[in-house]
Amino acid sequence: MVRAEAMSIASEPMPPPLARTDRAELAALAEDTIARGSKSFAAAAKLFAPEVRESAMMLYAWCRHCDDVIDGQHLGLSRRPAVEEPEPMQRLNHLLVETLRALDGEEAVDPPFLSMAEVARRHRLPTRLFVEHLEGYRMDVGDEHYETIEDTLSYCYRVAGVVGVMMATIMGAKGERTLDRASDLGMAFQLTNIARDIVEDARNGRVYVPAAWLAEARLEAKDLTDPARREEVAALAGRLVDFAEPYYRSAFVGLSALPARSAWAVATAHGVYRQIGLDIRARGAGAYGQRVSTSRAAKLRHVGLGALKVAATRIPWPVGRSPKLWTRPRGGPTGAERSSGDRRTRL
């Protein structure tokens, strides 16, 4: 298993950012990846200022690549390998090694790693954030068991909350409280994803709904794929949607800390994803086994609503973050070790 060893990652000087022409080349490749792999993200990214948009797309390219490598897919679609591929844990080990090598300025072959390292250098993103994100994949391939909602939230942070932190940093956000709210948005997104994909995930052997919730609903993991239990499964999805709401509210307050154009893009994504959750809850058992999404018209409506949300948050409101919300870790141990140039990682 790829497991975090007790250590801290040294703040070693990073190589300088790439020349503008090299960066533009990587950004173009990343944009092509996004256009084919995530139309929703591609649309929202257009609202960013040019440099923020480039960095956001380049970071996404690495995230998309990692996701595809672990799942044996290409741009989220299944593919038939030409040769026998390594086991998922071996693929994860490779991702970790290549990510750390790229961050160290060593030669990287694949553009996603070059893009990721360029974003890290330009925006001074700590190595631990990338390792934390890869830990989320470790939880997937390691068949992690989620007993409580806190266990599920820990997973949500690693696969999505930490990406929110990196994105907010790219946008110029500063301060731990602001980054907490950025993490909250990522976690709200992931809770919405879990609610939407309960059945599909269960069919693939992944259950993110906490076992405690299943027990309360008198369900077992195998019942999630039984159409006869669609009412109970719909109730679980609705509970997840409701649980995400305080995180969406916290993230909304955080918009005031972002530049106007970035806040507009984030507010639009906030509205689109939250709407998916609301639609899941409204459809109830009718959403069973379906991948609920928003229409093009609804997305355009949220672009307009996003602008109104930004206007409402230009004056920071004195709203504290609820102490009941799960809070991201502050640095400390991660999943890789570096000391005096010698990296010791247990994989």
Side-chain angles (χ1 to χ4, degrees):
M1 294 173 67
V2 179
R3 178 60 71 177
E5 298 294 329
M7 44 70 71
S8 61
I9 292 183
S11 55
E12 300 169 356
M14 286 186 173
L18 294 174
R20 179 66 207 171
T21 52
D22 295 333
R23 176 181 167 86
E25 207 171 304
L26 286 173
L29 288 172
E31 184 170 9
D32 180 63
T33 297
I34 292 169
R36 291 182 292 145
S38 178
K39 292 180 172 58
S40 294
F41 185 87
K46 291 179 180 179
L47 300 176
F48 288 124
E51 184 171 325
V52 172
R53 180 168 178 264
E54 276 190 355
S55 290
M57 291 189 300
M58 291 164 71
L59 176 63
Y60 173 90
W62 175 75
C63 295
R64 173 84 268 174
H65 176 75
C66 291
D67 196 51
D68 283 346
V69 167
I70 293 299
D71 290 340
Q73 298 179 332
H74 179 64
L75 299 177
L77 302 174
S78 298
R79 60 182 173 82
R80 181 175 297 173
V83 296
E84 184 176 353
E85 292 190 344
E87 292 298 314
M89 193 63 74
Q90 292 177 296
R91 300 202 292 267
L92 176 57
N93 292 346
H94 174 74
L95 289 174
L96 176 61
V97 170
E98 290 303 301
T99 295
L100 293 176
R101 288 182 70 240
L103 289 170
D104 274 345
E106 297 181 29
E107 183 177 355
V109 176
D110 293 331
F113 295 104
L114 290 171
S115 295
M116 172 275 303
E118 162 65 6
V119 172
R121 287 191 291 265
R122 185 169 292 272
H123 301 282
R124 304 185 65 79
L125 296 174
T127 297
R128 65 177 174 79
L129 296 179
F130 297 95
V131 177
E132 283 175 337
H133 186 57
L134 291 175
E135 171 67 6
Y137 295 112
R138 198 280 310 162
M139 297 170 83
D140 274 336
V141 302
D143 296 325
E144 192 87 0
H145 177 74
Y146 305 97
E147 180 63 33
T148 67
I149 188 59
E150 287 73 22
D151 295 334
T152 300
L153 291 173
S154 178
Y155 170 76
C156 289
Y157 168 71
R158 285 167 175 81
V159 297
V162 71
V163 178
V165 171
M166 290 191 280
M167 285 291 295
T169 304
I170 287 170
M171 296 175 212
K174 301 183 185 300
E176 297 295 339
R177 292 181 180 179
T178 298
L179 297 181
D180 283 342
R181 295 187 185 275
S183 172
D184 288 342
L185 183 58
M187 292 173 64
F189 285 172
Q190 190 61 28
L191 287 166
T192 301
N193 276 337
I194 293 172
R196 178 177 62 181
D197 299 333
I198 285 180
V199 178
E200 181 182 350
D201 285 336
R203 286 172 178 158
N204 291 324
R206 294 177 178 176
V207 177
Y208 303 106
V209 180
W213 286 19
L214 290 175
E216 289 173 22
R218 298 183 180 180
L219 292 172
E220 297 181 21
K222 63 182 177 61
D223 295 327
L224 297 176
T225 58
D226 182 358
R229 309 302 298 271
R230 66 176 65 230
E231 292 288 348
E232 295 98 321
V233 174
L236 283 176
R239 187 175 179 181
L240 284 164
V241 170
D242 290 340
F243 199 87
E245 280 296 287
Y247 292 90
Y248 277 117
R249 287 196 294 271
S250 174
F252 177 81
V253 175
L255 291 174
S256 63
L258 300 177
R261 283 192 64 171
S262 292
W264 187 16
V266 173
T268 298
H270 177 287
V272 168
Y273 247 82
R274 181 172 176 269
Q275 187 64 56
I276 291 173
L278 297 178
D279 289 346
I280 290 170
R281 188 173 58 190
R283 294 186 191 184
Y288 180 86
Q290 296 183 14
R291 188 173 177 82
V292 177
S293 60
T294 50
S295 65
R296 177 177 173 80
K299 288 175 183 173
L300 290 174
R301 179 169 62 86
H302 282 291
V303 170
L305 289 173
L308 294 176
K309 291 178 183 178
V310 173
T313 59
R314 286 304 82 188
I315 300 176
W317 297 97
V319 179
R321 183 175 178 272
S322 171
K324 295 182 180 180
L325 297 183
W326 190 93
T327 302
R328 67 191 175 91
R330 296 283 197 277
T334 67
E337 183 166 356
R338 229 193 287 206
S339 177
S340 301
D342 174 41
R343 183 178 299 113
R344 298 185 297 277
T345 307
R346 191 171 76 184
L347 305 178

